Amino acid sequence: MDTIHKIGRRKTAVARVYLSDGNGKITINNRDLNTYFPTATLQYKVKQPFSLTGTEDTYDVNVNVYGGGITGQAEAIRLALSRAMCEIDAENRLTLKPEGLLTRDPRMVERKKFGQKKARKKFQFSKR
């Protein structure tokens, strides 16, 4: 199998995932998964496509991710890995789709409007 390249996005985070045959080593921005994402929740999010399809320790993953915060980056990686798993085997789609891992989350930060304090908050109204 040659290397599979997929992109995942979440908020302003963009993850480029390169998947190849190996023994389950996950490298993010030239750092190990456990050092890049120290919390167990974020590590679980990244490994979720592998655990659902039962392919842990089967593929080596190299990730370049930038933008956003650590949660957005973890979810962007998860989306890219899910897309890569679907390209490897079409049967994986039946497992990942009901879990919502193939859906691009469209929620973004709403922009600030002029004449207002924030996106929705207004300046205090003074009647007199």
Side-chain angles (χ1 to χ4, degrees):
M1 175 186 122
D2 56 331
T3 305
I4 294 177
H5 172 245
K6 289 290 173 186
I7 294 177
R9 293 184 180 94
R10 171 74 172 96
K11 291 189 176 179
T12 56
V14 179
R16 297 172 190 277
V17 169
Y18 301 91
L19 199 72
S20 58
D21 283 327
N23 53 6
K25 188 174 188 320
I26 300 175
T27 310
I28 302 166
N29 290 353
N30 298 321
R31 287 169 34 197
D32 189 51
L33 170 71
N34 299 336
T35 56
Y36 196 83
F37 292 125
T39 60
T41 310
L42 296 174
Q43 292 172 17
Y44 168 75
K45 280 186 179 181
V46 171
K47 293 178 181 175
Q48 201 174 0
F50 294 124
S51 59
L52 288 173
T53 55
T55 53
E56 300 100 330
D57 306 331
T58 312
Y59 302 104
D60 279 348
V61 181
N62 191 6
V63 182
N64 294 333
V65 65
Y66 61 91
I70 54 170
T71 306
Q73 287 186 350
E75 292 181 12
I77 293 169
R78 180 175 71 176
L79 176 62
L81 284 174
S82 300
R83 287 175 172 172
M85 297 308 291
C86 287
E87 187 171 312
I88 290 169
D89 187 8
E91 295 293 315
N92 291 334
R93 187 173 180 81
L94 301 172
T95 313
L96 298 170
K97 185 85 169 142
E99 297 293 323
L101 298 188
L102 294 173
T103 307
R104 200 303 200 181
D105 196 340
R107 294 177 293 174
M108 302 284 276
V109 176
E110 191 174 333
R111 77 176 210 73
K112 181 198 172 296
K113 281 76 168 191
F114 58 91
Q116 296 181 14
K117 245 184 156 99
K118 296 189 332 187
R120 305 242 173 139
K121 188 174 183 175
K122 313 283 191 285
F123 290 115
Q124 184 172 351
F125 176 72
S126 173
K127 196 166 187 179
R128 288 180 189 88

